[in-house]
Amino acid sequence: MLIADMHIHSNNSHDAVSSLSEICDSAIKKGIKVLAITDHLDVVYCERSDVFSCIRSSYSDVVRAREKYGNELDILAGIEIGDPLMYPEFSKECANALDYDVIIGSVHTVCLDDCTDPYSMVDFSRMDAEFLHRFIHKYFDELCGMLADYDFDIFAHLTCPFRYINGKYGRDVDIRKYADRIDDVLRRVIEKGVALEVNTSGYGTSVGFMPDEWIVERYVSFGGKKVTLGSDAHIADNIGKGFDAAIQMLKRHGIDYIYSFKKRKPVIHEI
Ligand SMILES: [Zn+2]
Ligand SMILES: [Zn+2]
């Protein structure tokens, strides 16, 4: 069994701390053989800071790490592009600028009226219920937009805003109320041929897997097969977090393979 962690941040991401050596040492310790370094390129900041320089240095760190760890690990060069449609041309250029193995597509920001910050920074405690409802619908609209108009490989952390709405701010919104929107998104994921990420960063907390098991079950029932596992680790210790439980969950729904990507082509691993 070859386990691939397809979503990892190094200290080239503004919100992560571990060097690539620490990440590789941790992967070896945990028996993870394939790992994708997918540092942030949040295009929302592209006019305020040189977001591309972090990505360039992430890529050179990967090239260097391959020299040192290449016999033990398959280190994939990736990028997590946040909100690509805010600057579609820039996002396309960044994805093509370096020889990436994998591109993660993420929605991190939902712009609605005067609410324009990434949702991880939004105070949901004060949002009135009607606005919150519109906000959630806008989130699903953004996902559909990204699926329609951006070229990527992994569809990241579906339902992530709920980690803040419910997890951090305890709003107790029933995600199942949005099942129709979720079904529509899942069908678009399948149609586009990208992989659905099971993001394990919330494992062991009230957040759990993103998306929840019932959503994975629906994905499979619609014919979805491509799944990647991503710890979304921001510290080396969290690489592969919750993967054993995630694999058991996938197997419960008849998924016996997970995917990685090399040179943007899918690779299958039996679990
Ligand atoms: Zn993300
Ligand atoms: Zn991430």
Side-chain angles (χ1 to χ4, degrees):
M1 186 161 76
L2 204 61
I3 295 302
D5 188 338
M6 293 303 291
H7 190 158
I8 296 169
H9 294 276
S10 77
N11 54 8
N12 291 298
S13 288
H14 59 90
D15 53 355
V17 293
S18 301
S19 68
L20 215 47
S21 304
E22 291 167 323
I23 289 168
C24 291
D25 289 338
S26 173
I28 291 167
K29 219 163 51 191
K30 294 178 179 207
I32 289 166
K33 294 274 186 251
V34 182
L35 62 158
I37 306 303
T38 54
D39 281 309
H40 285 296
L41 181 106
D42 279 315
V43 302
V44 65
Y45 300 120
C46 74
E47 287 181 15
R48 275 175 270 170
S49 61
D50 180 10
V51 285
F52 192 72
S53 71
C54 307
I55 288 313
R56 206 182 303 114
S57 95
S58 173
Y59 188 87
S60 359
D61 284 357
V62 166
V63 172
R64 257 196 306 275
R66 279 175 180 155
E67 284 167 19
K68 188 170 165 198
Y69 295 94
N71 292 332
E72 295 166 274
L73 298 172
D74 193 1
I75 307 166
L76 304 171
I79 183 172
E80 179 181 12
I81 301 206
D83 312 305
L85 295 192
M86 280 187 179
Y87 295 90
E89 280 313 307
F90 178 71
S91 303
K92 226 178 279 171
E93 278 166 32
C94 290
N96 293 331
L98 297 161
D99 191 13
Y100 285 118
D101 291 304
V102 62
I103 312 271
I104 297 181
S106 295
V107 168
H108 288 150
T109 310
V110 175
C111 292
L112 188 62
D113 301 345
D114 56 356
C115 183
T116 55
D117 285 331
Y119 53 69
S120 58
M121 287 153 65
V122 171
D123 182 352
F124 289 102
S125 65
R126 292 183 205 164
M127 204 176 261
D128 77 68
E130 194 267 331
F131 191 89
L132 184 55
H133 182 65
R134 279 173 57 216
F135 184 93
I136 293 167
H137 272 292
K138 184 80 193 303
Y139 168 65
F140 290 116
D141 293 344
E142 298 291 350
L143 294 178
C144 293
M146 185 175 75
L147 284 162
D149 292 328
Y150 194 65
D151 176 28
F152 63 94
D153 308 304
I154 298 177
F155 181 69
H157 49 55
L158 173 58
T159 69
C160 191
F162 290 94
R163 144 182 227 149
Y164 303 95
I165 296 168
N166 289 342
K168 187 171 175 190
Y169 291 99
R171 294 297 299 261
D172 210 20
V173 175
D174 184 3
I175 304 181
R176 287 179 192 261
K177 254 179 39 191
Y178 300 93
D180 286 356
R181 297 299 315 259
I182 290 170
D183 285 356
D184 176 50
V185 166
L186 293 174
R187 289 197 166 98
R188 288 168 194 251
V189 166
I190 294 166
E191 201 174 305
K192 191 177 175 76
V194 293
L196 178 76
E197 174 185 80
V198 172
N199 185 300
T200 62
S201 59
Y203 179 73
T205 74
S206 64
V207 174
F209 299 129
M210 288 182 293
D212 282 335
E213 180 165 358
W214 67 270
I215 296 174
V216 173
E217 191 176 1
R218 286 169 100 95
Y219 174 68
V220 173
S221 77
F222 299 150
K225 291 186 173 66
K226 277 189 198 166
V227 172
T228 58
L229 294 180
S231 66
D232 210 347
H234 284 64
I235 51 169
D237 260 3
N238 284 345
I239 293 167
K241 183 175 114 173
F243 276 22
D244 287 345
I247 288 169
Q248 280 172 27
M249 184 270 281
L250 292 173
K251 284 180 171 250
R252 272 201 293 281
H253 301 291
I255 293 183
D256 295 315
Y257 298 90
I258 53 168
Y259 281 69
S260 66
F261 287 83
K262 190 141 214 173
K263 307 273 182 209
R264 307 209 48 204
K265 295 272 182 297
V267 181
I268 296 175
H269 307 276
E270 200 172 341
I271 50 175

